[in-house]
Amino acid sequence: MAIQPVKSVKIVEVGPRDGLQNEKVIIDTGAKLAFIGKLAAAGLKYIEVTSFVHPKAIPQLSDALDVVKGLPALPGMHYSALVPNLKGLERALESGIREIAVFTATSNTFTQRNINMTVNESFEAFQPVVQRALAEGLFVRGYVSTAFYCPYEGKIDSAATLDVTQRLLALGVQEVSIGDTIGQATPQDVTTTMTHLLQHVPVEKLAMHFHDTNGLALENVAASLALGLSIFDSSAGGLGGCPYAPGASGNLSTDALVGFLESQGIATGIDLNLLKEASAAIRKVLSNAEPELDDIGSLQNLAVNPRVES
Ligand code: HMG
Ligand code: MG
């Protein structure tokens, strides 16, 4: 089918979740809510605000319930949160959030370390989660991590990425985000894998989630746009990383993404100055929260995903 030129995009801001989850020093709920408020003021409509995961796996997001309960009630906002299992869904429903995302990967080693399940076990866990969430009228997204490269298993064949994507769609998820978890994909990798996926999956179901380890995230966005893909995840100020993916660096920066899209004549509706203020403000909070030397010993003792080696 002919590729339609992309005229508008959906940007999913993941800074409050993916951006903050790797930050060791816990920042307070008020600072997170102020950050989210600034992102919304800049014009971002889709914001992934937290995760209902085990608090020991991601201590930074253990205040998920309070974050969601404190969100500014603004018209047209789509707030979402990660949910790994039924326990997470119960907590999400209690918070009142209306959009969730389940997350798996192409690689068994990565999913074991990340969520203590094989890929097949993750689908067994997600089946009742997605079924219940859809019955409650929630929007459900699915993530495919290690879609191009895995920190443990190396280069991933596009057939594996397609398989996990199709299994998520078969569960009923409404959008699938394709993750370059450790930021190793090149534009050629993006073109190869996504061309394969697009032979089987409608373009409007697919989002691209780039980390920027090698500085290629914007080139990967350009390669995606050339295929008609128009949903991009990014993080204000380029914060981010996954503690269970060695080598994962910051996400594609929303500031850079917006600047790039506008330069390509694709309007985003986002006020870049306000966005830069939001990014600078959260960076300031994080640098003010950096540990004193005396605190470093106790931070190294933080329990992280006790069932897995990382
Ligand atoms: P587990 O230890 O296997 O869990 O962890 P379990 O089911 O065996 O339960 C053990 C205990 O944990 C039980 O408590 C449960 O109730 C409790 P007990 O009965 O012993 O008192 N529990 C929970 N508590 C709170 N919330 C929950 C929950 N689930 C169980 N949801 C689990 C499995 C999945 C929970 C854990 O491994 C986990 O939370 N992992 C999350 C890791 C994570 O958040 N990683 C980062 C996100 S993924 C990412 O960044 C990639 C992405 O950005 C895309 C990309 O870049 O590629 C999305
Ligand atoms: Mg990520």
Side-chain angles (χ1 to χ4, degrees), residues 209-285:
H209 180 107
F210 295 119
H211 285 257
D212 203 15
T213 316
N214 294 331
L216 288 175
L218 276 185
E219 288 184 43
N220 289 338
V221 170
S224 308
L225 287 168
L227 295 173
L229 291 151
S230 66
I231 310 176
F232 297 99
D233 301 350
S234 59
S235 170
L239 298 172
C242 172
Y244 303 104
S249 76
N251 289 72
L252 162 63
S253 146
T254 312
D255 321 42
L257 174 66
V258 168
F260 173 71
L261 291 169
E262 299 278 348
S263 78
Q264 301 299 300
I266 301 173
T268 61
I270 290 163
D271 182 323
L272 195 48
N273 288 327
L274 288 180
L275 174 60
K276 285 183 177 162
E277 280 175 28
S279 304
I282 193 67
R283 285 229 173 262
K284 187 152 187 287
V285 169

Side-chain angles (χ1 to χ4, degrees), residues 55-126:
K56 278 191 179 159
I58 308 284
Q60 182 67 264
L61 304 182
S62 58
D63 61 350
L65 185 66
D66 292 335
V67 167
V68 176
K69 285 194 183 281
L71 288 171
L74 299 168
M77 288 304 295
H78 298 258
Y79 296 120
S80 62
L82 294 196
V83 164
N85 54 16
L86 272 174
K87 172 78 183 173
L89 180 64
E90 278 165 26
R91 293 173 59 213
L93 289 171
E94 184 192 342
S95 76
I97 201 149
R98 300 299 300 158
E99 306 203 6
I100 63 157
V102 293
F103 52 106
T104 186
T106 62
S107 139
N108 278 320
T109 320
F110 178 75
T111 51
Q112 288 276 13
R113 291 180 186 232
N114 196 38
I115 53 175
N116 202 19
M117 304 174 207
T118 62
V119 174
N120 283 341
E121 285 165 354
S122 75
F123 278 96
E124 283 164 31
F126 295 164

Side-chain angles (χ1 to χ4, degrees), residues 14 17-18 21 143 145 179-181 209-211 240-242 249 251:
V14 296
R17 193 279 303 171
D18 209 352
Q21 72 181 10
Y143 277 98
S145 284
D180 181 21
T181 312
H209 180 107
F210 295 119
H211 285 257
C242 172
S249 76
N251 289 72

